[in-house]
Amino acid sequence: MPHIMQKPTRNSWSKTMAKLLISIVVMQISTEVSGSGLDPIFKYIDEQQNEFVQRLKEWVAIPSDSSEPQTWDEVVRMLNVTADKIKMLGGNIEFADVGSQRMSNGQLVHLPPVILAELKKDPKKPTLCIYGHVDVQPAKKEDGWTTDPYTLTEINGNLYGRGASDNKGPVLAWLHAVEAYQALKQEIPVNIKFIIEGMEEAGSNGLDTLTEQRNMTFFSDVDYIVISDNIWISKKPALTYATRGNCFFFVEVEGQKQDMHSGVFGGSIHEAMTDLIALLDSLVDSRGRILVPGINEAVAPLTEEEEKRYQGIEFDLEAHKKDSGVTKFLYDTKEEILQHRWRYPSLSIHGIEGAFSDPGSKTVIPRKVIGKFSIRQVPNMDPSEVEKQVTKYLQKLFAERNSPNQLKVTMPIGAKPWVANVSDPQFVAGRRAVQTVFGVDPDLICEGSTIPIARNFQDVTGKSIIMLPIGGADDGEHSQNEKMSRSNYIQGTKLFAAFFYELSQLPQK
């Protein structure tokens, strides 16, 4: 029987055309935002790159060293400059008071405030909170810098200056990503908040308390928190999902009532320095293994999934040796090196206070010396437990020396490690943003150093947290000749702009 074509009714025809029109509109919107919508933004960023570099130069010129109260005025000046830039983007600013800090001499000094800022809000959009800091480590030309640390200098595509990578460059990149949307009159795909501090390099005093105080207000509508205060492990972009914690110790040994002449008293008294050196020498062996009982036993076992993740990370051992000036590592394979930088605890001895360290010779027996060392912690290690283990171990060793000197062990810093869930939707957005800008899948990496605010945000707010670095592996944060490449600075700005879009495409809670 032949098939008889039925004439479509006006109703069915209208429904078909409506569906077709909706499909076309959806496709157009998708193309405008994910494709051509980002292309003009990327083009704007490229065209403005010289202006963006100039702004970084202006920021680097402010010596916002937070290590001493004497320079906190410069930190406050830097915070004001940052706030002015956010205001230009239409942001509302609050300078949140975080109280005072008592110094070692007993003086109470008021801390620089923390910037809490928010751009125009749309209740239908997810909210991203961006953390950053605009204080820097101390820097002097005579410390070994090739250029003036506070004069941004471009050499072979690299932008040298204190704070270029840690963390003024990334903070500006976020602000420039916002500016790019606004300049092209494109709606920013997410709501944006900022929390910018000026005391990160000195321990972020007061920030933990502020987070708790504002958890039910400033953080209440935040969906995602992003931190860009670290670096890649190679030339390949990366997403960071974990950091180690830090327990910092002072080991004080006090002997006679005053410094003594080694020719007169040497060989007849128990010397504080000799006791201290013996204690410090008992902390770690020649393979880097911590000798304090209980430390290694507390480490969470390495899982199969983690082991595979390490195998896939791009990391050139020989290039890393060259960049760092190291002739030989403690371990031979990429996986072992990275695991001991990120996944296992380490102990480093930093110095001795009270000992003679000036050029020349001085044959003195110091009255009191203070050794300083730290233990980088990993998951399953608790700072309070580490403090007990270290104190007990050192007291036992000291007792075995039968020294009449006095031993005192203190732990002024006890920051916990941070670990995120790499399956979290924010990591999906981060991965897609990297793919859009750099055309590669990012490595999933850890950070061997400590960024305490990540764990604080996680514990207090319960929000999704990601670290989205744009710094290069050879940026030299905290070191002489700190830099960020022009490419990372500009491409990183594009990455942040793409990240806004990718977050908006995640299924909303």
Side-chain angles (χ1 to χ4, degrees):
M1 183 176 176
H3 179 69
I4 301 173
M5 296 288 291
Q6 290 185 344
K7 185 177 179 181
T9 64
R10 178 173 294 184
N11 220 13
S12 64
W13 177 260
S14 298
K15 286 180 180 178
T16 303
M17 288 304 296
K19 286 180 181 178
L20 181 61
L21 286 170
I22 289 170
S23 299
I24 291 170
V25 169
V26 168
M27 287 174 64
Q28 285 178 337
I29 291 172
S30 176
T31 302
E32 284 172 9
V33 177
S34 63
S36 60
L38 283 173
D39 287 343
I41 289 172
F42 293 167
K43 185 172 182 285
Y44 175 87
I45 292 169
D46 280 333
E47 290 171 345
Q48 295 297 312
Q49 64 175 285
N50 288 336
E51 174 62 24
F52 292 168
V53 169
Q54 176 60 32
R55 289 178 193 164
L56 181 57
K57 185 173 185 176
E58 292 166 4
W59 280 32
V60 166
I62 300 174
S64 49
D65 170 10
S66 59
S67 65
E68 296 290 343
Q70 293 87 334
T71 55
W72 288 0
D73 283 348
E74 293 295 339
V75 173
V76 172
R77 180 158 74 102
M78 186 68 246
L79 288 167
N80 281 320
V81 169
T82 306
D84 287 343
K85 177 59 182 172
I86 296 173
K87 288 176 185 175
M88 287 174 62
L89 299 173
N92 294 316
I93 298 288
E94 177 191 354
F95 285 104
D97 189 351
V98 288
S100 301
Q101 178 180 339
R102 190 168 296 281
M103 310 309 294
S104 56
N105 62 3
Q107 182 186 8
L108 202 61
V109 184
H110 203 74
L111 290 162
V114 171
I115 295 173
L116 299 179
E118 182 174 12
L119 301 184
K120 185 180 176 182
K121 183 178 175 181
D122 181 343
K124 297 189 294 295
K125 297 177 183 177
T127 299
L128 172 68
C129 180
I130 299 165
Y131 164 84
H133 69 90
V134 291
D135 60 316
V136 298
Q137 284 279 316
K140 295 179 181 177
K141 179 76 159 56
E142 53 267 32
D143 290 339
W145 282 73
T146 304
T147 60
D148 177 1
Y150 296 111
T151 301
L152 191 73
T153 307
E154 184 164 4
I155 303 172
N156 297 326
N158 290 317
L159 306 168
Y160 290 90
R162 178 58 91 216
S165 181
D166 182 20
N167 184 232
K168 293 179 179 180
V171 170
L172 265 174
W174 282 114
L175 298 175
H176 293 154
V178 171
E179 177 187 317
Y181 276 93
Q182 292 183 345
L184 298 175
K185 295 184 169 44
Q186 284 205 31
E187 198 172 330
I188 302 171
V190 293
N191 298 319
I192 293 176
K193 290 187 172 187
F194 292 99
I195 178 165
I196 309 290
E197 65 162 322
M199 289 295 290
E200 192 274 344
E201 302 292 3
S204 297
N205 289 340
L207 190 55
D208 286 6
T209 303
L210 180 66
T211 305
E212 292 172 2
Q213 291 172 344
R214 301 304 181 92
N215 186 35
M216 302 306 292
T217 51
F218 181 80
F219 290 101
S220 63
D221 58 349
V222 169
D223 298 290
Y224 309 105
I225 298 176
V226 63
I227 300 170
S228 299
D229 190 22
N230 58 313
I231 57 176
W232 303 342
I233 190 64
S234 66
K235 294 185 183 299
K236 187 179 180 183
L239 307 178
T240 305
Y241 67 91
T243 64
R244 291 195 292 187
N246 186 21
C247 288
F248 196 98
F249 288 90
F250 291 163
V251 185
E252 178 183 306
V253 182
E254 185 171 2
Q256 67 282 357
K257 65 179 182 180
Q258 60 189 24
D259 291 352
M260 289 182 168
H261 192 303
S262 65
V264 176
F265 291 94
S268 65
I269 65 171
H270 292 267
E271 298 187 18
M273 179 71 87
T274 306
D275 285 341
L276 178 61
I277 294 298
L279 294 178
L280 295 178
D281 188 48
S282 302
L283 291 170
V284 63
D285 68 16
S286 61
R287 292 286 294 168
R289 182 175 174 81
I290 299 173
L291 300 176
V292 180
I295 295 290
N296 298 302
E297 291 77 5
V299 178
L302 185 71
T303 65
E304 261 186 64
E305 183 187 354
E306 280 183 289
E307 201 161 4
K308 288 178 183 175
R309 198 178 292 152
Y310 280 100
Q311 291 169 3
I313 292 172
E314 185 177 303
F315 182 70
D316 187 326
L317 267 182
E318 293 307 312
H320 192 57
K321 280 182 186 177
K322 184 179 177 182
D323 289 342
S324 58
V326 173
T327 55
K328 184 181 179 182
F329 288 115
L330 287 172
Y331 302 92
D332 298 322
T333 68
K334 170 188 77 174
E335 290 78 11
E336 287 176 308
I337 293 296
L338 293 179
Q339 285 167 18
H340 282 85
R341 282 178 58 169
W342 301 340
R343 185 59 179 69
Y344 295 114
S346 64
L347 189 151
S348 300
I349 297 171
H350 306 295
I352 297 176
E353 182 181 334
F356 176 68
S357 59
D358 293 333
S361 59
K362 183 180 180 183
T363 55
V364 67
I365 299 173
R367 177 186 71 85
K368 181 174 75 173
V369 285
I370 304 171
K372 301 177 182 183
F373 70 91
S374 66
I375 296 176
R376 297 287 177 173
Q377 308 162 73
V378 294
N380 287 18
M381 293 176 67
D382 181 78
S384 60
E385 190 62 30
V386 171
E387 182 178 19
K388 291 175 188 174
Q389 291 166 336
V390 169
T391 303
K392 181 180 178 182
Y393 178 63
L394 290 176
Q395 287 174 341
K396 175 178 176 292
L397 293 177
F398 190 72
E400 291 171 356
R401 292 184 60 80
N402 293 316
S403 172
N405 295 328
Q406 300 298 309
L407 172 69
K408 183 181 177 183
V409 181
T410 55
M411 189 185 80
I413 297 173
K416 294 180 180 180
W418 164 75
V419 183
N421 178 5
V422 296
S423 300
D424 186 283
Q426 195 171 191
F427 280 83
V428 175
R431 189 177 297 112
R432 288 174 179 167
V434 169
Q435 289 167 343
T436 297
V437 176
F438 295 97
V440 297
D441 283 324
D443 279 333
L444 287 173
I445 66 171
C446 304
E447 174 68 48
S449 61
T450 306
I451 304 177
I453 193 59
R455 179 63 182 261
N456 173 247
F457 283 155
Q458 186 179 65
D459 288 349
V460 175
T461 72
K463 308 295 184 180
S464 165
I465 298 167
I466 189 174
M467 289 191 183
L468 187 61
I470 62 172
D474 59 348
D475 277 3
E477 296 172 300
H478 291 203
S479 187
Q480 298 92 337
N481 301 318
E482 176 187 345
K483 61 88 180 170
M484 175 175 278
S485 72
R486 177 185 278 255
S487 174
N488 275 43
Y489 181 43
I490 299 307
Q491 294 301 104
T493 305
K494 295 177 188 177
L495 174 65
F496 294 162
F499 185 62
F500 294 157
Y501 168 72
E502 293 298 346
L503 277 182
S504 74
Q505 298 305 293
L506 296 174
Q508 298 307 306
K509 298 174 184 178

